[in-house]
Amino acid sequence: MRKVLMVLMIPLVVGFSASAAATTLSGKISVSKKFMEQLDAARKETEKAQVRGYWNEPNGIRPVAPVRFDLSSDIGVAIYMDGAKDPKPDPVLSLNVLTGSLEKNVVVIRPQSRIKFIMKSPFDHELYAPGKHDFKPQKQGNNSFRPIDFYSAGVFEVKCKLFPHFQGWVVATPATHVPEVNKSGAFTVEDMEEGKYTLKVFFRGKWIVEKKFEVSGKKQEIAVTLNDVSGKAESSEKDEKEEPQKAEAKKEGDNAKEAKNNE
Amino acid sequence: MFISRFWTLLLVIAAAISVSVLMLAKDLVNREREESATAGLYKELDKLEVAFTLHARKRLDVLVSVSADADVTSNMASIAHTPGKVDEYRPKLLTALNKKNDDLDKYRADMLLAVGTDGDVLVKTGAKGRENGFSLAGVPTVEAALRGYVRDDVWKLGSDVYLIAARPVIHSGQYVGAIVHGLLLTDEMASKFSNTAQVAYYSGGVMLAIGTPDSEDVARAKDSEISSPLARLESDKQYEQKNRSDIHRIKGEKQDFLAVFSKIRGQAALNGVGWAVVVPVSRPIELTSIYEEAGSQDVENLPWLTIIGGALLMILLGWFWNYFESERPISKLQKAILALEKADVKDQLNVYKYKRNVRKIAIAFNKVMDYKLKEVMNAMGEGGKNVSSILGDRDTSRLSSAAFRFAEDMADDIPAPPSALEAPPPDAKPKLPNMGGGKVMPTPPTGAAKPLTGPQKPLGAATPPGVPSIDETVYFKQVHAEFVALKQKLGEPVDQLTYERFEVTLKKNRDALKARYGCKAVKFNVYEKDGKASLKAIPVKP
């Protein structure tokens, strides 16, 4: 009887001790007004350069809505643990290909992972990634799939020869954790080891936010605000931490300028 | 021949100028036609741009009746607010869309889509509609329409190209989706845009649709002819930079065409979709086809009288100059040659009557005759014959003399001296001409010197050249008297026969014979020939 109890107690003790060491990270990515304004301005610039028809005008009934920005699709989040070993490849990821875009505009995977591009459009597509020799244009019909391996780390822009506006990003990076972000920008990472981490946010072909944080305890929260589409926010965030006085002075200067402009 | 040659030169210059003018006129006409066709082409381009703009506007305007339809908006709003009940509202939305699409009449969509707020296609209708459930998220025009923009576009979906119009659907002040209206580009559609030119749509190197103008007068290019320049567009820098090619000339089977290829205004331009406008242009005129090109009216209006008259005048002038300078002298020469047949065997052509080439022919003729005569003489000498035995009763003295007559039209008829080879032997004895069968001595005129009875003393032997001696003058006067007497006897007029002229002629012949034979004296015999008085000069060697 004692032996039986001992056998039953061992996994409970091990499990308890393990759960005590793991941390659940709750993150929240939010978008500042400035970011949305920049995005809208950038979209307008893009639209100017876009090839389109003869007419493009507001409907005249209701103001034009702001640019749609889907945090679950338009950004990618990667978390790196300092000193961590190279992660294992992800299991095969199925990614739907819509008519005008990928199911997710940004997909973050680990190197040596495979993505299965599944066509969910009634129109043929010819996806390719410029610079990736094994991802050349190839006709793909509805409901067919095309597996592509991403062996090495890198940023790959996915395009379509038949739909020139088509755009998506595959980011192969040796991240310790790749959290799924929902539409509201929230994400959760469980079973994180204690230690120092770096969180990065990818948007439109580049990392625009890089934030260091330390994980300890059972629960950890992190909030990231996207301030600048060009990625300058990250550096300013650093500046604010490292040289708060300078940042404050700059802010004051900006306010003064704004006031002058208003006058 | 100078005038003939000059006339020929004038004619050649005139012909060259005419041909030059004709070729210039041809080039002018061709350039004019080309420029006219080019101007017409650019006019068509402008018209078509306006037509496309208005057509797009019209599509957007008619789409209001769909996007603002109560059934459509309410059903789309229901789906937007309760995504889980999409299957419940979808049939209602489809019915509403079908009804509205039918109402669009000639703008009835080949593809009419109701797009949800997330870009998913809720309902499709139209002949070329696709199945439900696919997403158009990320397509710029759909994204723009979902945000509230009214926009037209051109899409290439598979092998089809659609003219797209998109409008937002607003319900209760909220965007609840968008309606996308698509018209398939077909030959019929392409025909709508112009009545005076062919409009064609292509994708890459393939023609998608070729319009047919309503007007029967407009020449139409074949499909293969229109598509022939497509392969060259890839290397056309202007096409890439300005979205419009330079003018291409298409050589058709029956007719040439001018065409301009333009990228289409819309997303499909990135798929290589474009449109072409083709207008006919007359083929360049060739010189050989200028009368056919001119037409009967222009030909009839030509001043034929002037043209034919001028041509005849030029021909007649040419003939005249030719006759005057070529045929007439030749004819004259021919007659003179024929006259020699009846003349003395030693008579020759008077080369001074002829000019240039004809004179050369006459000289050559004389030389040949002299040569032949010498051969005959040599042959006779070898055979032991004399001249008399060959010529019979003919006067052998003529063989070494020059016969001439004094007449009004032959006053300066000076025969060429015979060749040196025909010089008479030193002992040749001149014989007086036979006048009327018997030996007739010339009758001296009154007051003239006593006629000579025997062989007369050759004159000029001791007289310096150019200065007649007294004996010679007497002799000349004697000969003149004899000649006048014979002429009077034969009834010939002697009024014009003055001694001065006579003397000049005698001296001229005397000098000629002296120079030729190297004789010191020349004797003149008067005799009758063919009923006329003649005079013969006979060289006398010491």
Side-chain angles (χ1 to χ4, degrees), chain B residues 202 229-248 259-263:
Chain B
Y202 57 89
L230 290 180
R232 282 176 277 160
L233 289 181
E234 291 178 4
S235 56
D236 191 336
K237 286 183 180 175
Q238 184 175 325
Y239 182 73
E240 285 303 317
Q241 292 169 357
K242 299 183 178 177
N243 297 332
R244 178 172 289 178
S245 76
D246 212 344
I247 293 177
H248 288 261
V260 167
F261 295 81
S262 308
K263 287 184 182 177

Side-chain angles (χ1 to χ4, degrees), chain B residues 222-450:
Chain B
K222 291 181 177 177
D223 298 6
S224 58
E225 291 170 351
I226 298 175
S227 57
S228 58
L230 290 180
R232 282 176 277 160
L233 289 181
E234 291 178 4
S235 56
D236 191 336
K237 286 183 180 175
Q238 184 175 325
Y239 182 73
E240 285 303 317
Q241 292 169 357
K242 299 183 178 177
N243 297 332
R244 178 172 289 178
S245 76
D246 212 344
I247 293 177
H248 288 261
R249 190 182 188 93
I250 299 171
K251 293 198 177 294
E253 191 178 319
K254 297 176 182 175
Q255 169 102 38
D256 284 4
F257 299 90
L258 295 182
V260 167
F261 295 81
S262 308
K263 287 184 182 177
I264 207 157
R265 291 276 295 268
Q267 283 286 312
L270 301 172
N271 296 104
V273 177
W275 58 279
V277 56
V278 184
V279 297
V281 59
S282 302
R283 277 186 171 164
I285 295 178
E286 298 296 335
L287 286 178
T288 50
S289 64
I290 204 159
Y291 275 100
E292 295 167 17
E293 294 280 347
S296 58
Q297 190 180 349
D298 294 329
V299 174
E300 283 168 9
N301 287 337
L302 282 173
W304 285 112
L305 206 61
T306 310
I307 292 169
I308 294 171
L312 283 176
L313 184 65
M314 285 194 287
I315 290 170
L316 289 174
L317 277 171
W319 286 351
F320 174 73
W321 299 131
N322 187 52
Y323 169 76
F324 184 72
E325 292 192 318
S326 177
E327 290 185 9
R328 187 163 161 264
I330 294 286
S331 174
K332 203 172 159 187
L333 177 68
Q334 186 191 12
K335 281 179 184 172
I337 291 170
L338 288 174
L340 284 178
E341 191 182 354
K342 295 177 182 176
D344 189 276
V345 71
K346 290 292 287 179
D347 281 354
Q348 291 189 318
L349 296 172
N350 185 357
V351 296
Y352 300 104
K353 280 185 173 180
Y354 310 106
K355 296 176 182 176
R356 297 185 182 86
N357 287 339
V358 182
R359 178 179 284 183
K360 287 178 186 172
I361 294 170
I363 289 170
F365 180 81
N366 282 346
K367 280 185 180 175
V368 169
M369 291 304 294
D370 283 349
Y371 179 74
K372 291 295 179 187
L373 188 60
K374 188 192 169 204
E375 280 187 345
V376 170
M377 291 294 288
N378 289 340
M380 283 190 306
E382 288 168 4
K385 295 178 182 177
N386 55 31
V387 176
S388 300
S389 66
I390 294 172
L391 300 177
D393 204 20
R394 295 183 84 110
D395 190 352
T396 54
S397 65
R398 290 185 181 182
L399 293 171
S400 58
S401 65
F404 55 94
R405 288 192 302 114
F406 287 88
E408 200 58 39
D409 58 338
M410 299 176 69
D412 53 352
D413 188 5
I414 304 168
S419 71
L421 292 171
E422 296 169 14
D427 57 346
K429 206 170 182 180
K431 187 179 176 181
L432 287 173
N434 187 358
M435 299 171 69
K439 188 174 181 181
V440 179
M441 290 301 289
T443 306
T446 309
K450 188 181 176 183

Side-chain angles (χ1 to χ4, degrees), chain B residues 96 112 125 131 143 150 167 188 212 227 276 285 300-301 361 398 436 452 456 470 487 519 532:
Chain B
L112 190 63
T125 186
E131 63 270 29
E143 292 285 342
V150 175
R167 272 190 170 275
E188 188 186 352
T212 307
S227 57
I285 295 178
E300 283 168 9
N301 287 337
I361 294 170
R398 290 185 181 182
L452 299 173
Q456 294 160 23
I470 297 170
K487 279 181 88 72
C519 59
K532 289 184 177 178

Side-chain angles (χ1 to χ4, degrees), chain A residues 40 43-44 47 50-68 98-101 120-124 142 161-166, chain B residues 49 52-53 56-57 60 117-118 130-131 134-140 143 146-153 156-157 168 170 173-175 265-267 269-271:
Chain A
D40 203 41
R43 187 66 60 93
K44 279 177 183 170
E47 283 186 350
Q50 268 177 1
V51 181
R52 58 167 188 258
Y54 295 92
W55 302 94
N56 181 50
E57 57 192 17
N59 60 77
I61 299 170
R62 184 179 153 70
V64 173
V67 175
R68 286 201 306 166
L98 310 179
T99 303
S101 62
K120 290 292 179 186
S121 168
F123 312 109
D124 290 346
N142 195 12
K161 202 175 175 186
L162 302 181
F163 289 85
H165 60 270
F166 189 101
Chain B
E49 282 288 352
F52 292 153
T53 308
R57 183 74 251 175
L60 290 170
T117 50
D118 54 358
R130 299 272 180 171
E131 63 270 29
F134 63 94
S135 173
L136 288 176
V139 177
E143 292 285 342
L146 290 173
R147 290 177 59 207
Y149 280 106
V150 175
R151 185 190 273 200
D152 71 291
D153 202 348
K156 185 168 188 274
L157 300 175
I170 302 168
Q174 298 291 321
Y175 290 118
R265 291 276 295 268
Q267 283 286 312
L270 301 172
N271 296 104

